[in-house]
Amino acid sequence: MISKQMSDTLNKHMNLELYSAHLYLAMSSCTNELGLKGASNWFFVQYREEMIHFMKFYSYLTDQGVVISLLASEAVPNQYSSLLDMVQKTLVHEQLITSCINELIEQAVREKDHATQIFLQWFVTEQIEEENNDRDLIAKLKLVGNNGHGILMIDGEMGQRVFVAPIGSPLAV
Ligand code: OFO
């Protein structure tokens, strides 16, 4: 049993996860255009992870008997000054998502909604990893600055990222 208020805010957040997926898919396209194939791969993997996050919310809500609402999707930016700019904006976006997850948990606690609290725990851990990955990349990109060899080395590392669907994930897109 989930309250209307709780399901509405979860539904809203589900749409934000879809926005995240679109944001990173656009970044994958931008980096591809710049010739940074590794970074393009990294953002594409990030896109796929966001689709899993979206589907986790979708499955949770439908399992709770909620008919989901897909809201109109906001256009995402596709102009960036550099790879560093993209990753810095990624970190800012992930910090926003972290604060949204925290607010969702606070609401679930207020409503004594234990099921939703348990559901959201996975996202608490996930957000630590998301922010940490971005901070690592920002630090490396700042170290190399405008050095082309350095950027290509980081691009090569970003190309190693592999998508791994979390155990029990509703859908590997
Ligand atoms: Fe779904 O964590 Fe990023 O946005």
Side-chain angles (χ1 to χ4, degrees):
M1 171 74 191
I2 188 165
S3 75
K4 173 83 169 64
Q5 267 186 330
M6 191 76 246
S7 66
D8 282 352
T9 44
L10 288 171
N11 191 98
K12 197 167 157 216
H13 186 85
M14 178 190 73
N15 281 277
L16 189 55
E17 295 287 350
L18 196 53
Y19 175 87
S20 304
H22 292 168
L23 182 68
Y24 299 135
L25 188 58
M27 286 182 179
S28 177
S29 174
C30 290
T31 41
N32 183 64
E33 178 61 19
L34 290 172
L36 297 170
K37 304 288 181 191
S40 180
N41 167 71
W42 193 93
F43 283 113
F44 191 73
V45 170
Q46 191 63 32
Y47 152 75
R48 296 186 71 188
E49 286 202 356
E50 298 301 346
M51 289 303 293
I52 294 288
H53 300 175
F54 164 75
M55 286 305 301
K56 276 182 176 279
F57 278 89
Y58 170 90
S59 295
Y60 180 69
L61 286 168
T62 50
D63 286 352
Q64 289 275 20
V66 176
V67 177
I68 63 117
S69 303
L70 285 172
L71 309 176
S73 195
E74 203 183 311
V76 298
N78 67 353
Q79 300 284 322
Y80 298 94
S81 58
S82 63
L83 179 56
L84 175 60
D85 182 35
M86 270 184 244
V87 183
Q88 282 174 325
K89 285 180 174 140
T90 296
L91 176 60
V92 168
H93 181 70
E94 289 306 324
Q95 287 167 337
L96 167 76
I97 298 292
T98 301
S99 68
C100 291
I101 295 286
N102 288 341
E103 280 171 26
L104 286 172
I105 291 176
E106 282 162 25
Q107 183 178 349
V109 169
R110 276 197 305 278
E111 293 192 16
K112 298 185 172 52
D113 181 344
H114 301 289
T116 299
Q117 287 176 53
I118 291 167
F119 165 69
L120 290 169
Q121 286 309 312
W122 184 89
F123 289 91
V124 172
T125 311
E126 177 71 5
Q127 283 310 118
I128 294 169
E129 188 190 313
E130 300 262 297
E131 288 187 27
N132 198 29
N133 288 343
D134 298 338
R135 273 194 302 272
D136 278 355
L137 270 175
I138 289 168
K140 286 180 188 168
L141 286 165
K142 281 185 172 170
L143 271 177
V144 301
N146 288 328
N147 181 292
H149 288 298
I151 291 173
L152 285 177
M153 197 187 73
I154 294 170
D155 185 60
E157 278 181 29
M158 292 175 87
Q160 302 301 311
R161 187 177 185 190
V162 176
F163 172 74
V164 181
I167 296 164
S169 66
L171 180 68
V173 186

